[in-house]
Amino acid sequence: MASWNSLQLEITYRVMGWMAFTCWSVGFYPQVILNFRRKSSAVQKQYWEKYGSGQMIPVAVNDVAFSAHAVLITAIILFQIAIYDRGTQKVSKIAIGIVVAVWLGAAVCFFVALPTHSWLWLINIFNSIQVFMTVVKYTPQAFMNFMRKSTDGFSIGFYLLDFSGGVTNYAQMAVLSIDQDSWVNFFGNMGKVLLSLISISFDILFMCQRFLLYPAKKAPIPPPPPQITSKGSLEPLLQSSSSASPTHTV
């Protein structure tokens, strides 16, 4: 393995790398701080124009954090798929077609919104795409369970957690509505509402398939292995009466 020949150059290399990281990272913050001080942005202005200036923006910090985390984890999974052995499995043409169509549609909508700065409309389009992709994501597993009439090998743990997340996400919006005495945030963030309802609906379907319709069968307990003697031969634990040595009487 090659190593550095000059300690000074190695230090310079690492310092410059972290300087680039710092500059790129810090560069995002001035606009964030400015928007925070002004309490305004283009999206906020358009939202208030549509739903009223007295309404609270129904996007929490956890929504942004979840999106960033989901993108990161999905990227890691895609990288694992690329480097690990996957046998004969491959991405179907239908999946490739859906992904290409979605990305082309998102690009077209972006360029349509760009001249008029219709960012709120664009976000609603992205929310609709997210809802559509969520339905596409859940449907194959539900259909497979139905066709196989079995849930063997199906991990229910993920969907139990997903169900909990959908319920708490919906409850979060309800709490905001109760606090503000207004249900406008449900209409203003319809994508989040639909995502929660779709996730909860599919999760309930999966739980019914797993626990009611097609419960997983328990694997039979294998018989104990035969006893191995010191000579390496296999002998039964008990001898049958026919093979037992005869007794002699005097």
Side-chain angles (χ1 to χ4, degrees):
M1 181 179 178
S3 59
W4 285 92
N5 297 317
S6 173
L7 179 60
Q8 292 80 5
L9 292 178
E10 180 182 3
I11 295 175
T12 303
Y13 171 85
R14 299 187 183 281
V15 169
M16 293 181 66
W18 283 108
M19 287 179 62
F21 167 83
T22 303
C23 292
W24 285 338
S25 300
V26 173
F28 291 105
Y29 288 92
Q31 185 64 53
V32 175
I33 297 174
L34 178 61
N35 292 341
F36 175 77
R37 289 177 176 177
R38 295 169 56 198
K39 297 294 189 297
S40 176
S41 67
V43 178
Q44 286 180 329
K45 183 178 179 181
Q46 293 174 18
Y47 183 87
W48 286 332
E49 289 176 352
K50 185 175 182 178
Y51 297 105
S53 59
Q55 300 297 327
M56 183 179 295
I57 303 297
V59 178
V61 176
N62 62 276
D63 297 327
V64 180
F66 170 76
S67 300
H69 181 260
V71 171
L72 176 62
I73 296 299
T74 304
I76 293 175
I77 294 175
L78 292 175
F79 178 72
Q80 290 176 330
I81 294 174
I83 64 175
Y84 294 153
D85 181 28
R86 58 181 182 272
T88 59
Q89 293 182 345
K90 60 181 180 180
V91 181
S92 66
K93 294 181 179 179
I94 297 177
I96 295 176
I98 292 175
V99 171
V100 172
V102 165
W103 279 105
L104 288 177
V108 170
C109 292
F110 172 78
F111 286 108
V112 169
L114 187 60
T116 58
H117 300 284
S118 302
W119 305 126
L120 182 61
W121 172 81
L122 183 63
I123 290 176
N124 290 329
I125 293 295
F126 287 164
N127 278 338
S128 301
I129 293 175
Q130 189 177 11
V131 171
F132 169 75
M133 294 302 292
T134 301
V135 175
V136 172
K137 176 183 70 174
Y138 286 121
T139 302
Q141 184 65 61
F143 182 73
M144 181 182 296
N145 293 342
F146 171 75
M147 294 299 295
R148 295 173 59 224
K149 299 295 187 295
S150 172
T151 55
D152 289 341
F154 174 67
S155 176
I156 192 63
F158 168 79
Y159 296 100
L160 293 176
L161 294 173
D162 190 60
F163 176 79
S164 302
V167 171
T168 52
N169 196 23
Y170 193 79
Q172 182 188 32
M173 301 191 69
V175 169
L176 178 60
S177 297
I178 294 173
D179 177 77
Q180 297 294 307
D181 195 21
S182 172
W183 296 93
V184 173
N185 74 92
F186 279 88
F187 303 100
N189 199 353
M190 186 58 65
K192 184 176 180 179
V193 175
L194 291 178
L195 282 176
S196 299
L197 293 178
I198 291 173
S199 299
I200 292 173
S201 300
F202 271 99
D203 292 334
I204 293 176
L205 173 61
F206 288 135
M207 286 187 282
C208 291
Q209 288 180 330
R210 175 63 177 80
F211 298 112
L212 299 179
L213 299 177
Y214 321 119
K217 299 179 180 179
K218 295 182 179 180
I221 301 176
Q227 186 178 13
I228 301 178
T229 63
S230 58
K231 296 180 180 180
S233 61
L234 300 179
E235 295 183 355
L237 295 178
L238 295 175
Q239 288 184 332
S240 62
S241 59
S242 60
S243 61
S245 58
T247 58
H248 298 278
T249 58
V250 179

